[in-house]
Amino acid sequence: MTELGGRGASGLPRARVVPLTAPPSSYTAAVERYLTGAGIAKSSVRVYRISLTTWGWMLAGEPAPTGPARRGAKPPVFPVTAIDDPALPEALAELAAARADEMDADTVNRELSIARKAIGWWQRQGWIVGDPTIGIERRPAPPDRTKALSENQIAALWRLDVGLREKTFWKLLYESAARADEALCLNVEDLYPQDKRGRITAKGGATEWIHWQSGAAQLLPRLIARRTRGPLFITDRKAPAGTPALDVCPETGRARLSYRRAEEIFEENTRLLANPLASPEDIEDLDGWTLHRLRHSALTHDAEGGTSTPMLLARSRHASVRSLERYARPGVDAVARHVAERDPAARRKH
């Protein structure tokens, strides 16, 4: 059922959907209704909730916190109907532009897409009329220039003095070539230790498998200890109130480790490896490596070792060879070895 709800840009009356149910009392409640009622895949719920929480600040007319300031920050409380405030689109455009200047294009575009999906769903429920994101453009994503780490850099990574959780997580990512967000969604019950494999839910909700080697296999039992279920990688502290049950270990009460925190830890610990000539006093201002470089490195090293394209596709779980191309480019060290091994003078010495 519809009724007239003001006028659109053309000046004609705009149809308003009569709410099927009363609007939720708060934006946070509307987010939860969307996540449970819109058919969102379980593997995506966590990412959607984080993105919509971020947009909650901006939809309330406040800048979203970034970096360490985000940890523990309480999102503003406001009714979902406030999204129809006529003054919001202009303020939102400024806030979104400021955030886009601080974040990478992929993150900004993903968050905008999720926000628009939720707003569209709320409109269909009749809780709001307008979409304040109209006019906010997606940011052009620069080409991925991520480079594989050298084998010496990977070896140096394993020598870092870090905790068991980080050692296990990094080993698992490199040995399995899995995406970091997929590995973080693993539960203890998803593992098949005897086969060195784990069951993950990929994009679109499909069930896929990742496979690891002896390094991760030796560390996983120590990390799991006596736990039999719940998130594989968990935080050091108890989960805060309101954490979704799927992201809480039922045996320890600790929360699932977030991608943001995992990335932050990896970046901080690899600053000196990424900038070996930097002085200790300058290291805080420099950047370390990203978690994605472990997946990139694993696939590149496989390609350098002669792994076939069909096997690389199966290991990376890419749908096409084109998607795989940027990973399968031999690095400088591999090219140097190739040239040296084919040096006629070197062969004569042997």
Side-chain angles (χ1 to χ4, degrees):
M1 183 183 297
T2 60
E3 61 183 21
L4 298 185
R7 295 183 179 274
S10 64
L12 297 174
R14 179 171 52 193
R16 178 188 184 110
V17 178
V18 176
L20 301 176
T21 58
S25 60
S26 68
Y27 171 79
T28 302
V31 168
E32 293 305 315
R33 292 274 289 276
Y34 168 66
L35 295 177
T36 56
I40 307 299
K42 289 182 180 180
S43 59
S44 300
V45 165
R46 184 164 161 270
V47 173
Y48 272 53
R49 182 180 287 110
I50 292 172
S51 294
L52 291 172
T53 298
T54 297
W55 268 79
W57 271 283
M58 296 192 290
L59 290 170
E62 302 178 21
T66 58
R70 183 172 177 174
R71 195 177 311 139
K74 298 295 183 183
V77 177
F78 63 97
V80 68
T81 52
I83 292 177
D84 279 333
D85 184 341
L88 180 58
E90 183 177 352
L92 188 63
E94 293 182 3
L95 291 167
R99 178 168 174 79
D101 289 338
E102 297 181 3
M103 309 296 291
D104 65 274
D106 287 338
T107 298
V108 168
N109 291 338
R110 180 180 67 248
E111 291 178 346
L112 175 60
S113 176
I114 290 173
R116 283 178 169 159
K117 290 176 183 176
I119 287 170
W121 192 82
W122 295 329
Q123 287 176 318
R124 291 192 293 277
Q125 308 313 304
W127 300 341
I128 60 174
V129 174
D131 179 354
T133 70
I134 292 175
I136 299 177
E137 297 182 356
R138 290 173 59 85
R139 291 297 170 112
D144 190 336
R145 301 299 186 193
T146 305
K147 295 182 179 179
L149 302 170
S150 70
E151 292 181 358
N152 286 338
Q153 288 175 313
I154 292 293
L157 179 66
W158 304 148
R159 293 194 294 268
L160 288 180
D161 184 14
V162 295
L164 175 62
R165 182 187 65 192
E166 275 60 57
K167 285 182 180 178
T168 309
F169 183 46
W170 302 348
K171 278 276 188 181
L172 183 70
L173 291 184
Y174 180 69
E175 291 184 355
S176 68
R179 299 176 179 88
D181 55 346
E182 294 173 338
L184 289 168
C185 286
L186 280 170
N187 290 330
V188 174
E189 58 267 34
D190 295 327
L191 307 184
Y192 292 75
Q194 68 278 12
D195 298 322
K196 297 180 184 175
R197 69 175 64 167
R199 182 183 58 231
I200 61 169
T201 303
K203 295 178 181 178
T207 297
E208 295 181 347
W209 297 88
I210 61 172
H211 306 261
W212 53 83
Q213 298 169 326
S214 297
Q218 292 171 1
L219 294 169
L220 280 168
R222 293 170 53 197
L223 178 73
I224 296 169
R226 293 182 175 83
R227 293 187 292 135
T228 59
R229 57 200 176 107
L232 175 59
F233 297 103
I234 54 178
T235 57
D236 298 324
R237 300 177 181 176
K238 296 287 185 180
T243 302
L246 288 173
D247 292 328
V248 179
C249 173
E251 299 176 15
T252 66
R254 297 179 181 179
R256 187 185 304 275
L257 181 66
S258 70
Y259 183 98
R260 177 190 55 77
R261 181 58 182 149
E263 182 81 279
E264 190 176 79
I265 292 171
F266 188 67
E267 190 274 329
E268 289 176 354
N269 278 279
T270 57
R271 286 176 184 171
L272 191 56
L273 296 181
N275 306 278
L277 301 181
S279 60
E281 56 269 22
D282 293 335
I283 204 68
E284 291 297 321
D285 298 323
L286 299 174
D287 293 328
W289 297 330
T290 62
L291 287 169
H292 179 68
R293 295 189 72 174
L294 292 176
R295 171 175 164 83
H296 193 131
S297 303
L299 295 172
T300 298
H301 295 164
D302 273 3
E304 291 172 348
T307 300
S308 68
T309 297
M311 183 57 70
L312 284 173
L313 280 172
R315 183 153 152 74
S316 66
R317 291 169 288 113
H318 278 119
S320 68
V321 174
R322 185 174 182 180
S323 301
L324 183 67
E325 283 178 350
R326 64 190 175 92
Y327 296 100
R329 295 175 181 171
V332 173
D333 292 343
V335 173
R337 285 196 303 270
H338 174 83
V339 173
E341 290 168 358
R342 287 157 179 77
D343 184 345
R347 285 203 298 267
R348 284 196 295 270
K349 290 179 181 178
H350 295 289

